Amino acid sequence: MPSAAASAREILTRLHDVMAGRQPAQAKLNQVVNIIGEAIDSEVCSIYLLRDGVLELYATRGLAQEAVHVTKLALGEGLVGTIAEQIEVLNLDEAASHPDFAYKPETGEDRFHSFAGVPVIRRERAVGVLAVQHTDPRKYADVEIEALQTVAMVLSELIANAGLIDDRAAAGTRAQPTAAVRIPGQKLVEGMGAGYAVFHQPRIVIEHTVAEDTDAERHRVYAAFDKMREGIDRMAAQAEFGVDGEHKEVLATYKMFAYDEGWSRRINEAIDSGLTAEAAIERVQQRTRQRMRQIDDPLLADRMHDLEDLSNRLLRTVSGQMGSAAKLGLRQDTILIARNLGPAELLEYDRRRLKGVVLEEGSLTAHVTIVARAMGVPVLGRARDIRRQVSEGDLLLLDVGEGTCFARPTPAMEEAFAVGMQLRQKRKAAFAALKDVPPVTRDGARITLMVNAGLRDDVAALDMTGADGIGLFRTEFQFLVSATLPQRERQQRLYREVLDAAGDRPVIFRTVDIGGDKALPYLKGHVAAEENPAMGWRAIRLSLEREGLMKAQARALIEAGAGRTLNVMFPMVSEPWEFDAARALFEAQRAWVARRNRRSPAEIRYGAMLEVPALAEQLDVLLPKVDFLSIGTNDLTQFLFAADRANPKLAERYDWLSPSILRFLARVVGPTREAGVPLAVCGEMGGRPLEAMALIGLGIDRLSITPAAIGPIKAMVRSLDRAALIEAMTGWLATPPRDLRAALTTWAEGEGVELA
């Protein structure tokens, strides 16, 4: 018996001439069924195409010709419908014994016993079925099935070129959709969004399947393998991939598959059968997908998923289509699907049409999460198997607040989601109406509400929300989204534009918090891989070591702030001497500017971020030196609980309303008030109404939060009696209730505090 490659090659050689001919599509299909039937000595060969949601018999050799365009099967109906719905192969020695068998008398197929069918796939969707039948009750040989699957790829191209593919099936919006599916994930950036699935790395559509020159196709694959392997080796050597165990594991798996001779051999065998390089890679990938559907072991399934991911990378390499979906542009409301994203990649997308992001990986502290939060784009992370369960063009409903994404929703799901969106829009409108209303409590206490920012466009949020200023401008955003280290002139231009746009409202610039878990590729070699990067060589520690970087930023800030009040804050200060050293560096640059008769800020106010618990033990030393203090609750929480917030098992385990956190914050509030030093909280904790209420109950009256949180927090503040809350909080901290969150919620409900 000839090999699978030889069997397929014999058929493809004859099909090539058919495809190149000028006959009508129907005539070509009639020839195709005869060629296939003769080549594998099968009495019946039939082609069914998905049209208007049903599978229609389009051509046959062996069945009654009167049944062509008459016999139709729904997805899931009969053997043909099952193959299309499940995108699987059937090979039966007795077709009638299969539970899904459906007899169609007009075909005259009752005398045929054996049956084999393979799906015709386009863009990962079944758009038809190629089936063969025989009177003898026998299973078709493996080489025959392999040949049929290879031919089905060519058939996909033929019917696509003939305009016979159901556009809805090809685009991923079936007339009869598959069942809705709920995909859970980790809440990274809250919000809701509806849109159609778009893969960040688009699937390559195979346009040419039959090779003209087999040797040339093989050389193309060899070159693509070399290029892909070089890229993976380069990624593995980068510092940013050495700091995270999961990335290491992914890359180790990538390298294992990239250098796997068995994988490359299977692709070469597919080329031997007469396929182009792209079609050969896709052919092997189809086998992988079929195996994945049969794997129950989650670990092995993950490894097969890695292989598919790598296959897509190889396919993009060999086709020369390495760009992301951003390059093609978003044509409609979109939910972006990716394994992971970089912040610069996210910024390439049209914000008007990008309604949300779903990541298979991702974490609360990832660069892309920080940038997405600033952009107001909802992000769901750790959505396992999202790229297996969703196809391009599927309608997705994303509700990060509930930690879910619904794919191919039912009408009832869409209606419920629309109601939720309407309520959300009404709340947003109500909050927007508070823009010019001051955040004053019922008993007359003025709370300062500022926004966190990091991009030039974020300053517009001041006017949109009526915020008091920018309480945290993350200067590292410019570094995270840049391919190279931003030069002083670029930094200065950004800082000046931000100050100009803010007008007389204060802007607090935090010096760069990079290094550790925010490793930058262009700092490779300067930051070593770390096992615990969040607590490693980052922020003020890295800046003081790399004085050149900090001096450039200091001079850029000083020159941008000429004639104004400049507020500078140093991140992750652990001991007072670090603040002293950073301030001295800034003052030296200020003197340098003055010596050259350049304008300096009228005043520079220096502050520190309290994120490391150790700093709280030296407040008596620090407070006389600082002009203001900000508590960074994100890092502080993970340090207090020794819980890595990037770890999904720990991310939501420890409560911000734990007595441990609140008692610690209360210990900071007292000394700062006595010293007359303004104290703020900048972090996610301050952007949640109940948590913000607790902070006000501790005596904190300055919050820096996301722009989207200004309205809800302002509404809460205006419904609150601050004095009564402080009294209640004092009692709770002295004798903590079993559930402090529940106690706060009950108190708020009783007092009529708005927590929506």
Side-chain angles (χ1 to χ4, degrees):
M1 183 175 291
S3 68
S7 298
R9 187 166 55 248
E10 178 188 344
I11 300 172
L12 294 192
T13 300
R14 297 176 64 187
L15 288 185
H16 183 273
D17 295 334
V18 173
M19 293 172 67
R22 295 182 177 274
Q23 313 99 301
Q26 183 66 60
K28 288 184 178 181
L29 291 177
N30 291 340
Q31 289 185 59
V32 167
V33 292
N34 284 319
I35 290 170
I36 297 170
E38 290 172 8
I40 64 173
D41 192 25
S42 186
E43 293 165 291
V44 175
C45 179
S46 305
I47 295 172
Y48 295 80
L49 299 185
L50 186 62
R51 305 293 296 168
D52 298 323
V54 296
L55 290 152
E56 180 180 326
L57 178 61
Y58 244 76
T60 186
R61 156 198 157 114
L63 299 183
Q65 291 299 315
E66 295 79 9
V68 173
H69 303 303
V70 173
T71 296
K72 297 180 180 180
L73 294 155
L75 285 171
E77 181 187 1
L79 302 180
V80 169
T82 299
I83 291 168
E85 184 179 56
Q86 302 298 326
I87 315 182
E88 66 178 12
V89 175
L90 283 183
N91 186 8
L92 308 169
D93 53 8
E94 188 59 67
S97 65
H98 194 281
D100 292 325
F101 176 77
Y103 176 58
K104 294 291 181 179
E106 70 273 13
T107 63
E109 64 180 339
D110 49 309
R111 61 194 180 92
F112 301 108
H113 293 271
S114 61
F115 174 93
V118 299
V120 178
I121 300 170
R122 181 79 170 174
R123 297 181 181 176
E124 299 180 57
R125 299 284 195 176
V127 295
V129 172
L130 173 62
V132 291
Q133 295 171 263
H134 206 279
T135 52
D136 294 335
R138 68 169 179 89
K139 282 192 175 184
Y140 284 81
D142 289 344
V143 293
E144 294 173 310
I145 299 298
E146 285 278 328
L148 286 176
Q149 289 178 299
T150 300
V151 170
M153 288 195 69
V154 179
L155 189 57
S156 171
E157 180 188 344
L158 189 155
I159 62 177
N161 291 339
L164 294 176
I165 284 185
D166 188 325
D167 289 337
R168 285 169 295 183
T173 51
R174 297 170 178 157
Q176 183 174 330
T178 57
V181 60
R182 174 184 176 274
I183 303 166
Q186 182 185 2
K187 304 172 189 177
L188 297 185
V189 180
E190 296 245 359
M192 297 175 70
Y196 294 94
V198 169
F199 286 91
H200 172 60
Q201 295 290 357
R203 303 290 191 191
I204 302 300
V205 178
I206 310 300
E207 300 296 346
H208 301 290
T209 54
V210 181
E212 297 282 351
D213 184 337
T214 299
D215 288 335
E217 298 302 319
R218 186 173 291 106
H219 286 306
R220 290 179 64 217
V221 165
Y222 287 154
F225 262 108
D226 289 341
K227 188 172 181 179
M228 181 190 69
R229 288 164 177 167
E230 288 172 7
I232 292 169
D233 290 341
R234 191 163 52 248
M235 279 196 299
Q238 289 178 356
E240 63 178 313
F241 286 100
V243 300
D244 187 286
E246 184 172 352
H247 275 133
K248 271 186 175 179
E249 182 182 335
V250 169
L251 282 169
T253 305
Y254 267 26
K255 289 190 73 171
M256 178 184 73
F257 283 133
Y259 287 92
D260 177 43
E261 292 300 326
W263 182 38
S264 58
R265 185 185 68 251
R266 288 190 293 276
I267 292 174
N268 269 312
E269 288 172 352
I271 290 175
D272 286 340
S273 71
L275 295 176
T276 60
E278 290 89 346
I281 296 167
E282 175 65 16
R283 175 71 195 92
V284 174
Q285 198 170 2
Q286 286 179 3
R287 293 181 206 160
T288 301
R289 293 190 192 112
Q290 289 165 6
R291 290 180 62 189
M292 285 164 63
R293 295 187 187 98
Q294 301 166 359
I295 292 174
D296 293 326
D297 183 343
L299 182 61
L300 186 54
D302 279 344
R303 297 291 73 80
M304 297 300 285
H305 185 196
D306 290 335
L307 178 56
E308 174 159 1
D309 195 59
L310 200 58
S311 295
N312 290 329
R313 179 183 292 269
L314 183 63
L315 196 52
R316 290 193 299 272
T317 303
V318 80
S319 65
Q321 300 179 44
M322 295 299 291
S324 68
K327 300 290 190 297
L328 303 174
L330 303 180
R331 296 177 175 83
Q332 56 190 337
D333 287 351
T334 295
I335 303 295
L336 191 66
I337 308 295
R339 182 167 197 146
N340 224 328
L341 271 179
E345 292 174 314
L346 180 63
L347 288 170
E348 290 179 342
Y349 285 94
D350 183 349
R351 297 193 202 184
R352 296 168 300 176
R353 290 178 170 171
L354 183 62
K355 302 302 179 182
V357 176
V358 183
L359 302 174
E360 283 193 326
E361 296 179 2
S363 70
L364 282 164
T365 55
H367 306 171
V368 69
T369 303
I370 297 168
V371 173
R373 188 175 293 116
M375 293 170 62
V377 177
V379 181
L380 186 71
R382 305 284 172 173
R384 290 179 59 84
D385 299 340
I386 181 77
R387 292 184 301 168
R388 294 188 215 176
Q389 300 183 66
V390 170
S391 294
E392 292 257 4
D394 278 344
L395 177 61
L396 303 181
L397 305 180
L398 179 62
D399 188 344
V400 181
E402 295 297 322
T404 59
C405 176
F406 289 96
R408 302 176 296 275
T410 63
M413 290 176 182
E414 290 188 59
E415 185 177 345
F417 186 85
V419 170
M421 284 287 284
Q422 287 174 359
L423 290 174
R424 186 180 180 87
Q425 292 302 324
K426 285 181 180 178
R427 286 199 298 268
K428 286 180 69 175
F431 295 145
L434 296 174
K435 177 173 74 74
D436 298 320
V437 178
V440 178
T441 64
R442 284 178 6 215
D443 55 335
R446 176 65 158 86
I447 305 300
T448 300
L449 297 183
M450 306 178 84
V451 295
N452 298 332
L455 302 169
R456 167 63 184 82
D457 293 346
D458 293 344
V459 185
L462 291 176
D463 294 326
M464 290 170 55
T465 63
D468 295 309
I470 297 176
L472 169 63
F473 191 89
R474 299 181 175 99
T475 60
E476 64 269 13
F477 275 23
Q478 188 180 26
F479 291 74
L480 293 176
V481 302
S482 179
T484 58
L485 186 69
Q487 297 302 306
R488 179 172 57 85
E489 292 76 13
R490 280 180 58 202
Q491 295 182 49
Q492 179 184 329
R493 185 164 56 250
L494 171 64
Y495 305 150
R496 182 181 294 119
E497 289 173 352
V498 170
L499 288 167
D500 288 344
D504 59 357
R505 290 163 293 195
V507 178
I508 297 176
F509 292 97
R510 183 178 72 181
T511 58
V512 289
D513 182 0
I514 55 174
D517 60 345
K518 295 178 188 172
L520 303 175
Y522 50 79
L523 288 184
K524 177 184 172 184
H526 296 283
V527 182
E530 300 175 276
E531 290 190 9
N532 198 340
M535 300 172 69
W537 205 246
R538 54 173 279 214
I540 193 71
R541 301 167 180 176
L542 183 145
S543 296
L544 289 176
E545 180 198 43
R546 297 201 64 194
E547 283 194 2
L549 185 148
M550 195 172 193
K551 283 179 180 177
Q553 183 172 39
R555 198 180 307 168
L557 282 165
I558 290 166
E559 293 179 344
R564 319 183 225 214
T565 296
L566 177 66
N567 297 286
V568 178
M569 180 165 62
F570 304 119
M572 204 176 173
V573 176
S574 303
E575 295 192 274
W577 72 262
E578 293 174 322
F579 174 84
D580 294 339
R583 176 174 177 156
L585 188 149
F586 262 76
E587 285 297 309
Q589 293 308 303
R590 186 184 196 180
W592 186 93
V593 170
R595 286 196 301 270
R596 282 154 180 78
N597 296 318
R598 299 179 186 173
R599 293 183 68 201
S600 293
E603 178 189 9
I604 302 182
R605 299 176 70 248
Y606 294 100
M609 285 197 74
L610 196 161
E611 302 162 279
V612 180
L615 187 62
E617 299 301 323
Q618 295 198 63
L619 286 178
D620 57 326
V621 179
L622 178 71
L623 290 175
K625 305 171 185 283
V626 298
D627 296 303
F628 59 91
L629 190 68
S630 289
I631 299 174
T633 53
N634 294 1
D635 270 332
L636 178 65
T637 303
Q638 71 172 345
F639 295 155
L640 274 175
F641 284 119
D644 182 359
R645 294 177 67 249
N647 185 330
K649 292 183 178 179
L650 299 175
E652 298 181 3
R653 178 167 182 168
Y654 298 103
D655 194 348
W656 267 319
L657 295 181
S658 159
S660 301
I661 292 285
L662 297 179
R663 281 183 164 184
F664 181 91
L665 295 176
R667 286 174 49 212
V668 176
V669 171
T672 53
R673 184 188 296 118
E674 292 172 10
V677 174
L679 176 66
V681 164
C682 51
E684 289 180 62
M685 182 177 181
R688 302 183 179 190
L690 189 65
E691 283 82 346
M693 188 186 83
L695 293 172
I696 293 171
L698 294 174
I700 295 170
D701 57 9
R702 298 171 66 87
L703 302 174
S704 187
I705 54 186
T706 61
I710 292 288
I713 299 303
K714 188 180 287 189
M716 179 273 294
V717 167
R718 292 180 57 80
S719 65
L720 178 68
D721 184 319
R722 179 173 177 265
L725 175 61
I726 289 176
E727 182 180 351
M729 181 65 77
T730 302
W732 287 325
L733 292 187
T735 309
R738 180 166 184 165
D739 187 341
L740 186 48
R741 176 176 289 275
L744 278 161
T745 303
T746 301
W747 185 89
E749 291 171 350
E751 293 287 319
V753 179
E754 187 173 336
L755 296 177

